[in-house]
Amino acid sequence: MPEICRFFGIIIVMYYNDHAPPHFHARYGSRKAAIDIETLGIIDGELTPRALGLVTERAARHREELRADWDLAPRHEILLPIAPLE
């Protein structure tokens, strides 16, 4: 599970050979959620409202990078990190 980004205690990862739709996983404390890259909606799990807001804001700004990593993951290539904060 390669880590793509870490900010404010939130960890963003993507798994190799994961299932569709294209998504990433966010962890914050004991909570976890899978987030759809296109809709930014939660597919599975839950985050606090504040953490979810931070995650979706960052994902919206870095959607193209997340799509690129999703394309790399099935080939087991090194995923590109996303800068922690601008």
Side-chain angles (χ1 to χ4, degrees), residues 10-86:
I10 299 166
I11 302 168
I12 305 298
V13 301
M14 200 173 281
Y15 298 112
Y16 293 121
N17 296 327
D18 213 345
H19 59 84
H23 65 280
F24 60 92
H25 298 264
R27 294 189 316 225
Y28 181 66
S30 63
R31 297 183 185 209
K32 301 175 187 176
I35 310 290
D36 186 295
I37 293 172
E38 298 307 318
T39 67
L40 301 180
I42 293 179
I43 297 170
D44 187 37
E46 67 175 21
L47 294 172
T48 64
R50 181 173 184 272
L52 180 59
L54 291 168
V55 166
T56 56
E57 180 181 341
R58 298 262 319 140
R61 290 183 187 173
H62 297 279
R63 191 174 274 147
E64 289 303 316
E65 293 161 275
L66 290 165
R67 286 180 187 133
D69 278 340
W70 179 263
D71 291 339
L72 292 171
R75 299 188 305 255
H76 291 253
E77 294 184 25
I78 295 172
L79 303 185
L80 306 172
I82 295 172
L85 292 172
E86 288 86 41

